[in-house]
Amino acid sequence: MQVAIVLYPGVTALDAVGPYEVLRLMPDTELRFVGHSPGPLMTDAGILTLGVTHTFASTPAPDLLLVPGSERGTQAAMADPVLRQWLIEAHQTTRWTTSVCSGALILGAAGLLKGVDATTHWLVQDALPHFGARSCPAERVVHQGRIATAAGVSAGIDLALWLAGEIHGREVAEAIQLMIEYDPRPPFDSGHLSKASEPVVALARAAFTER
Amino acid sequence: MQVAIVLYPGVTALDAVGPYEVLRLMPDTELRFVGHSPGPLMTDAGILTLGVTHTFASTPAPDLLLVPGSERGTQAAMADPVLRQWLIEAHQTTRWTTSVCSGALILGAAGLLKGVDATTHWLVQDALPHFGARSCPAERVVHQGRIATAAGVSAGIDLALWLAGEIHGREVAEAIQLMIEYDPRPPFDSGHLSKASEPVVALARAAFTER
């Protein structure tokens, strides 16, 4: 199957690279990073480039498309007419249309989340209803029909493993989990808004505002 | 502080990008991707490029250095005299010298793991004693003195959060965990060799052999 991960200026690297590292290990998979033009593209912090491999135009019908989020490039991506049109057309024939983090808002801007249960980064959960989606902030991965959305940044790994299981069955997905040794043991337990203390939430909000 | 993440041909993208996404969010941090020459560099699967930002020569004394692993580029990196010499010299003044996945073998080849407890990807754990290290396959993150090593691929995220806590305290590290919404909920539980079934381990081994 063909997997297309969208890249755009200011994308958050881990939103794309987490799912990539899982999905590329699926058998019989051709994975592409699609964008306006091939070559390196700057991610959100202005440090790391990721390389686009194929144009939107040369990738009209991926089987699985994934839109990563961004700390500061989401608005521009939502307003990009070429990306929006590509999403609308590609979605017609995908087996899975998916997003990580604020990538859900980009799917929403293309009109793909109407009447759909969805999730996104906790900081922008409230934006989902504007696109006709029902916000599911307690879920890490939400799927309804062919659309699957993940919570912020690192949630793309869980989304991709779930997709690998749906596509190739549990045993293959478990082998991929073992290959990337995904046996998470975070040293703290503040990864969800419901678990973080008030000072920690305030610190995270302030960091986003400053950036 | 200055953080230097090493890039070399065939590096595994998530080994580098997982820790990057955490460490870049630390306050007062300058993060670099260091390599032989600035510009895009191909990762292990021949699909994704990551961009080197600075040369080894221009980054002689990082406070924190991190060496990611690779599916197929580890041997060449271990044999690279420029990288090895840079590691030996940079390590003299680091606050933390760290690795993810088979990056530990690259630290080992530079002679930095003698008498040190360490870990690496499960597939190459047995190589650690060749470098004088004591293999700790049950641990996800191992630290002794200034050296901290992580297990395979995704373990770099746990390593980086732990480092953020050591460097900036628990509250800052928890805020970073919340920013990247790292509240892992893998759909399966086969991420460690001790948890995966025999057929899953066989499948993962075969996939590595085929690649």
Side-chain angles (χ1 to χ4, degrees), chain B residues 91 95-97 116-117 142-148 162 166:
Chain B
H91 175 62
R95 184 163 163 200
W96 293 103
T97 295
V116 173
D117 290 351
V142 177
H143 53 96
Q144 184 174 337
R146 297 185 288 130
I147 294 183
W162 178 81
E166 292 295 304

Side-chain angles (χ1 to χ4, degrees), chain B residues 127-204:
Chain B
L128 286 174
H130 296 302
F131 304 108
R134 195 174 74 85
S135 162
C136 304
E139 303 301 318
R140 189 150 172 90
V141 173
V142 177
H143 53 96
Q144 184 174 337
R146 297 185 288 130
I147 294 183
T149 53
V153 193
S154 60
I157 301 173
D158 294 322
L159 165 68
L161 271 178
W162 178 81
L163 286 165
E166 292 295 304
I167 296 164
H168 289 283
R170 182 180 185 115
E171 203 163 272
V172 167
E174 288 191 348
I176 293 172
Q177 184 178 11
L178 181 58
M179 289 167 84
I180 66 161
E181 209 158 346
Y182 187 48
D183 179 35
R185 294 180 227 169
F188 314 107
D189 190 21
S190 65
H192 190 267
L193 198 54
S194 65
K195 297 177 174 178
S197 69
E198 275 183 40
V200 164
V201 174
L203 203 55

Side-chain angles (χ1 to χ4, degrees), chain A:
Chain A
M1 79 186 306
Q2 188 183 74
V3 175
I5 297 178
V6 174
L7 293 183
Y8 53 87
V11 67
T12 294
L14 186 53
D15 289 26
V17 173
Y20 148 81
E21 207 68 84
V22 171
L23 299 174
R24 77 174 178 91
L25 293 171
M26 295 194 306
D28 306 320
T29 298
E30 187 228 351
L31 191 145
R32 300 176 166 201
F33 288 93
V34 299
H36 280 285
S37 56
L41 180 150
M42 187 53 78
T43 58
D44 51 5
I47 300 168
L48 177 63
T49 62
L50 299 179
V52 171
T53 61
H54 294 79
T55 61
F56 293 123
S58 68
T59 312
D63 301 295
L64 191 165
L65 77 79
L66 183 143
V67 184
S70 166
E71 233 179 273
R72 62 184 89 187
T74 310
Q75 294 278 348
M78 288 163 68
D80 178 341
V82 174
L83 171 53
R84 200 158 50 192
Q85 193 57 32
W86 180 80
L87 287 171
I88 291 166
E89 290 174 12
H91 175 62
Q92 291 175 9
T93 55
T94 56
R95 183 162 163 200
W96 292 103
T97 295
T98 71
S99 66
V100 177
C101 199
S102 65
L105 309 191
I106 301 170
L107 291 184
L112 306 184
L113 294 187
K114 286 176 190 151
V116 174
D117 289 351
T119 192
T120 183
H121 192 279
W122 57 270
L123 206 65
V124 292
Q125 275 293 343
D126 292 349
L128 285 174
H130 296 300
F131 304 107
R134 195 174 74 87
S135 162
C136 304
E139 304 300 318
R140 188 145 173 93
V141 173
V142 176
H143 52 96
Q144 184 173 341
R146 295 185 289 131
I147 294 183
T149 52
V153 194
S154 61
I157 301 173
D158 293 323
L159 166 68
L161 271 178
W162 178 82
L163 287 165
E166 292 295 303
I167 296 164
H168 289 284
R170 184 182 184 114
E171 202 162 273
V172 166
E174 288 190 350
I176 294 172
Q177 184 178 11
L178 181 59
M179 288 169 84
I180 66 162
E181 210 157 345
Y182 186 50
D183 180 35
R185 295 182 226 168
F188 313 107
D189 190 22
S190 64
H192 191 268
L193 198 55
S194 64
K195 298 176 172 179
S197 68
E198 274 184 43
V200 164
V201 174
L203 203 55
R205 280 191 197 278
F208 278 119
T209 309
E210 276 165 25
R211 294 183 76 82

